[in-house]
Amino acid sequence: MINIKENEKLSVMNHSCAHLLAQAVKHLYPQAKFWVGPVVEEGFYYDIDLGDKTLTEEDLPLIEREMKKISKDGKRIVRHELSKQEALEMFKDDSYKLDLISRMDENENVISCYTQGDFTDLCRGPHVESVKELKYFKLLKFSGAYWKGDSNNKMLQRIYGVCFDTEEGLNDYLTELEEAKSRDHRKIGKDMELFMAHDLVGKGMPLWLPNGALIRKQLENYIYEKEHKQGYLHVYTPCVGTVDLYKTSGHWDHYKENMFPSMKVDEEEFVLRPMNCPHHMLIYGNKIHSYKDLPIRIGEFATDFRYEASGAVKGLERVRCMCQNDAHLFVRPDQIGEEFKKVVGLILDVYHDFGIKNYKFRLSLRDPEDKEKYFDDDQMWNEAEDTLRKVLNEYGIEYYEAIGEAAFYGPKLDVEVKPAIGPEVTLSTCQLDFLLPRRFELNYIDSDGSKKTPVVLHRAIFGTFDRFTAFLIEETKGNFPLWLAPVQLNVIPVNNDYHLEYAQKVVEELKNLDYRVELDDRNEKLSYKMREAQVSKIPVSLILGQKEVDNKEISYRLYGSSETVTLSFDEFKKYLSDRMKNKQ
Ligand code: TSB
Ligand code: ZN
């Protein structure tokens, strides 16, 4: 989808269209007061205080009609520059704009406003010449938005819209938007009964329903096996720790705003953990290690809690209770490159298995000028960053560098993907860390008998099972590959009177082979059952009639195909097991 904000021409048009929206709203609701109306990736929005008026679905077409009227009227959009005093005077009855003006420094910024007909708005510009140019727009939705994004402040009403320079551009965009909405994992997750939420559990706390849980279990088994093969040692640890644990790790000082508040139990003060690193550090420290034991790879499917802003939580993609596919790799400094290479290899391998192609590698480095954010050891940073670059180059991977985005404890590599709706998110991550092992006073005995501090690689291949599943739902539109589908096979006897017995035997045998099979023995027409199987996105439907009974055969259809294939039952079983092995 086009990024409006990054398109110079459309960005100006959308900004002007936000003013047009505000003018129309002012005509319809004279009490309206306006906060800010920026251009965003998807178009524009305006945050508006409508007093007692609460917007409903019916209001958007009315506002749109008023916008069209103003546009036809064709007033010019005129810029005026003001001194701070003049601006304060001009907007003296508007507490929102006064708030903006009072924070402006007139020595640094020119204060300007734009007028179109009877409407003036404080604005930096630029704008189109006349409202006449704003012809192809659409108001998309509205939502609540706290003033300045702070939940202690008043709730304003945010109206979203988009504007194009041609009718075709607008229509194409709206079609794409519909398509994206139909891929939205929140919609598919509901339709396919994968997960749910409930106010009584809380925001950002998904409940995985049986179908979703089946998918997650497959993901867990899959990645466990891969990690086990690479020598990972999996552990279980509690999802709380004492505040002292997080003081030792530094999270209490650096990460507190992302954590749930602490709770007191007897004499101990606990906190729900936002990360698993501290627990894994303690596990490493539980034993004496020789340089020969390293790398030690401690993995866990670990539940974490993070305080995410209520406006930011989104389905399974951004949650407050998540399960990381986490591991901490304890390595000697000379093993960093090799171990990092293995992690990148694993990421590539997994993405290949899932057929994920649209992703970007981002290498986050320190800003060498920023001595405050990053611990000061030029040599260590330079070496580490060079090592990571070298590995990426060895794989011939394309990546981009983000200066100043490294964590304070070391550089990192993230994999970014684009959800159906909304900005890019990180799935996989691999972060180098020189500090945490020091804070926990971890060591190993080196070949010369001296104590050395290991380096830690924090890595999560799926990121979290939550986010990865959200992404997978959108990638596949809910048409999961055979090995992941909650129900893999649907067995339909053509006529219950004659073919049910054979169908039951086939189901039995497939179940014994560990396939997830459903028998559709309802007294419905065959065509109806076939149609239903398509809607429910079951990958393979078996249709068993007299010919199949007589010859001990299977006729099957794949989801989305109208072709029927007939095989002997044995051939069919071989076909299934091949597909499972190939993760097709
Ligand atoms: C990899 N300590 C490291 C760990 O060892 C860590 O926690 N890194 S993280 O903060 O980047 O989180 C790991 C992954 O969790 C991210 O890459 C992202 O894919 C996923 N994630 C982060 N926040 C959320 C969230 N609110 N909802 C769902 N997934 C999330
Ligand atoms: Zn970690």
Side-chain angles (χ1 to χ4, degrees):
M1 292 241 281
I2 185 167
N3 183 335
I4 303 275
K5 208 174 165 179
E6 279 175 7
N7 180 308
E8 212 174 314
K9 182 173 182 197
L10 291 181
S11 162
V12 172
M13 284 195 106
N14 276 267
H15 192 183
S16 301
C17 206
H19 282 218
L20 182 64
L21 162 67
Q23 187 177 11
V25 167
K26 190 80 186 167
H27 285 179
L28 298 173
Y29 315 103
Q31 77 280 15
K33 292 220 155 51
F34 303 93
W35 174 230
V36 288
V39 175
V40 289
E41 208 175 305
E42 297 86 12
F44 64 87
Y45 68 76
Y46 217 126
D47 281 351
I48 308 170
D49 181 348
L50 283 168
D52 294 338
K53 163 78 188 164
T54 306
L55 287 171
T56 66
E57 286 295 339
E58 287 80 49
D59 292 316
L60 294 193
L62 299 180
I63 301 170
E64 232 174 59
R65 200 182 314 154
E66 184 63 21
M67 288 167 75
K68 292 247 147 79
K69 218 164 94 190
I70 301 169
S71 161
K72 270 218 185 92
D73 204 25
K75 293 279 190 295
R76 278 175 52 74
I77 303 176
V78 186
R79 177 186 167 97
H80 303 281
E81 291 186 357
L82 310 164
S83 70
K84 188 164 182 173
Q85 207 45 49
E86 285 167 331
L88 288 168
E89 178 59 27
M90 184 166 208
F91 292 95
K92 65 177 186 298
D93 298 327
D94 188 334
S95 56
Y96 293 106
K97 299 292 168 185
L98 285 180
D99 185 279
L100 290 173
I101 299 164
S102 65
R103 283 183 287 125
M104 286 179 186
D105 181 349
E106 60 185 329
N107 297 324
E108 273 180 32
N109 305 307
V110 179
I111 300 180
S112 58
C113 65
Y114 283 79
T115 300
Q116 51 202 55
D118 58 5
F119 181 77
T120 297
D121 202 352
L122 183 74
C123 180
R124 218 180 296 134
H127 282 283
V128 295
E129 299 254 304
S130 149
V131 290
K132 216 168 31 190
E133 294 173 48
L134 308 170
K135 274 195 259 187
Y136 310 111
F137 54 79
K138 177 96 191 138
L139 295 183
L140 299 169
K141 58 177 180 180
F142 59 90
S143 67
Y146 291 110
W147 183 44
K148 296 185 180 174
D150 182 341
S151 59
N152 297 315
N153 288 342
K154 185 170 181 180
M155 175 84 91
L156 305 179
Q157 299 187 71
R158 176 174 293 179
I159 305 178
Y160 293 85
V162 70
C163 181
F164 276 83
D165 48 350
T166 63
E167 191 170 12
E168 198 191 359
L170 177 64
N171 287 342
D172 286 353
Y173 182 81
L174 294 177
T175 310
E176 273 183 60
L177 207 60
E178 278 313 305
E179 202 269 334
K181 272 192 205 158
S182 71
R183 268 196 304 136
D184 188 332
H185 77 279
R186 291 166 293 188
K187 182 181 182 304
I188 298 176
K190 191 162 183 245
D191 293 348
M192 293 183 74
E193 297 185 11
L194 301 178
F195 65 94
M196 61 174 271
H198 199 291
D199 288 347
L200 288 177
V201 183
K203 273 205 179 69
M205 305 280 181
L207 311 180
W208 291 68
L209 297 170
N211 287 341
L214 263 169
I215 294 172
R216 173 157 158 184
K217 191 78 199 155
Q218 303 311 313
L219 295 178
E220 287 176 0
N221 294 346
Y222 165 85
I223 200 72
Y224 177 84
E225 208 176 291
K226 293 252 179 212
E227 290 176 352
H228 184 68
K229 273 198 189 130
Q230 288 202 1
Y232 285 59
L233 308 169
H234 280 248
V235 299
Y236 298 101
T237 59
C239 57
V240 294
T242 65
V243 167
D244 284 339
L245 177 65
Y246 289 95
K247 280 186 180 159
T248 307
S249 69
H251 287 96
W252 197 248
D253 285 338
H254 294 286
Y255 203 73
K256 200 168 167 203
E257 69 277 19
N258 300 304
M259 292 164 72
F260 276 59
S262 62
M263 53 193 155
K264 231 175 155 188
V265 179
D266 296 336
E267 292 315 306
E268 292 176 304
E269 202 180 351
F270 289 100
V271 62
L272 290 170
R273 68 174 171 194
M275 293 196 190
N276 320 302
C277 342
H279 293 77
H280 292 182
M281 299 295 133
L282 297 179
I283 289 179
Y284 177 91
N286 188 43
K287 256 172 69 166
I288 293 171
H289 299 282
S290 139
Y291 70 100
K292 283 188 261 172
D293 302 335
L294 268 44
I296 290 175
R297 310 174 182 92
I298 297 180
E300 183 172 2
F301 301 155
T303 300
D304 296 321
F305 294 83
R306 288 187 190 175
Y307 171 72
E308 297 278 1
S310 66
V313 294
K314 179 178 171 198
L316 288 181
E317 185 185 304
R318 188 171 295 279
V319 291
R320 285 176 170 173
C321 172
M322 65 197 82
C323 183
Q324 282 198 41
N325 152 228
D326 202 5
H328 294 93
L329 319 178
F330 299 82
V331 306
R332 302 191 305 258
D334 64 287
Q335 293 172 319
I336 294 174
E338 197 183 324
E339 201 57 22
F340 181 68
K341 192 168 178 185
K342 277 198 185 143
V343 172
V344 177
L346 187 54
I347 293 175
L348 294 174
D349 187 21
V350 168
Y351 282 41
H352 171 80
D353 279 350
F354 284 88
I356 305 172
K357 294 200 179 77
N358 292 322
Y359 57 90
K360 279 193 278 189
F361 278 104
R362 179 174 83 155
L363 183 61
S364 296
L365 308 170
R366 80 172 163 156
D367 174 0
E369 304 299 316
D370 192 344
K371 297 284 177 210
E372 240 174 63
K373 180 169 173 191
Y374 299 110
F375 76 89
D376 199 13
D377 187 335
D378 277 341
Q379 196 195 344
M380 200 179 263
W381 276 99
N382 290 340
E383 274 179 26
E385 295 183 350
D386 283 347
T387 307
L388 303 196
R389 275 198 202 95
K390 196 167 144 247
V391 169
L392 294 172
N393 292 334
E394 274 170 21
Y395 275 114
I397 288 174
E398 261 185 53
Y399 62 95
Y400 73 97
E401 296 191 351
I403 309 286
E405 290 298 319
F408 71 98
Y409 48 74
K412 62 174 178 169
L413 180 74
D414 290 327
V415 182
E416 294 180 317
V417 295
K418 178 85 179 71
I421 293 171
E424 287 181 324
V425 292
T426 301
L427 283 185
S428 313
T429 184
C430 184
Q431 312 164 359
L432 226 57
D433 186 346
F434 300 101
L435 281 191
L436 212 51
R438 285 194 214 165
R439 293 189 73 114
F440 280 88
E441 296 176 0
L442 303 182
N443 56 55
Y444 61 90
I445 312 296
D446 209 351
S447 52
D448 60 4
S450 66
K451 277 187 182 172
K452 294 272 168 61
T453 308
V455 178
V456 164
L457 274 75
H458 306 242
R459 49 104 285 179
I461 305 297
F462 285 148
T464 51
F465 290 98
D466 313 81
R467 184 171 287 178
F468 193 79
T469 305
F471 177 71
L472 213 54
I473 295 171
E474 300 191 347
E475 276 281 292
T476 60
K477 299 185 187 162
N479 308 317
F480 296 104
L482 185 69
W483 71 283
L484 276 180
V487 179
Q488 299 170 303
L489 303 149
N490 183 32
V491 179
I492 310 174
V494 173
N495 185 325
N496 275 349
D497 291 338
Y498 308 109
H499 316 129
L500 183 60
E501 201 182 319
Y502 179 57
Q504 283 167 334
K505 260 179 63 189
V506 167
V507 167
E508 190 70 27
E509 202 161 322
L510 291 171
K511 277 192 176 162
N512 283 338
L513 291 170
D514 261 350
Y515 290 106
R516 301 182 287 276
V517 196
E518 260 178 15
L519 173 67
D520 191 350
D521 56 359
R522 293 172 301 168
N523 281 318
E524 299 283 356
K525 280 219 179 77
L526 179 66
S527 57
Y528 174 82
K529 292 192 197 178
M530 300 275 295
R531 228 180 10 253
E532 278 227 321
Q534 290 284 317
V535 176
S536 62
K537 303 185 173 175
I538 299 171
V540 189
S541 293
L542 278 57
I543 307 116
L544 306 179
Q546 197 55 47
K547 192 165 79 65
E548 286 78 13
V549 172
D550 291 343
N551 302 337
K552 296 217 166 1
E553 282 174 345
I554 295 292
S555 291
Y556 71 89
R557 258 191 210 187
L558 299 182
Y559 174 79
S561 158
S562 53
E563 191 194 355
T564 308
V565 182
T566 303
L567 294 176
S568 76
F569 193 22
D570 283 340
E571 282 169 337
F572 178 69
K573 284 186 283 192
K574 167 98 177 39
Y575 161 78
L576 283 183
S577 77
D578 284 350
R579 276 192 57 180
M580 292 289 285
K581 250 185 248 141
N582 299 334
K583 303 256 174 301
Q584 272 178 332

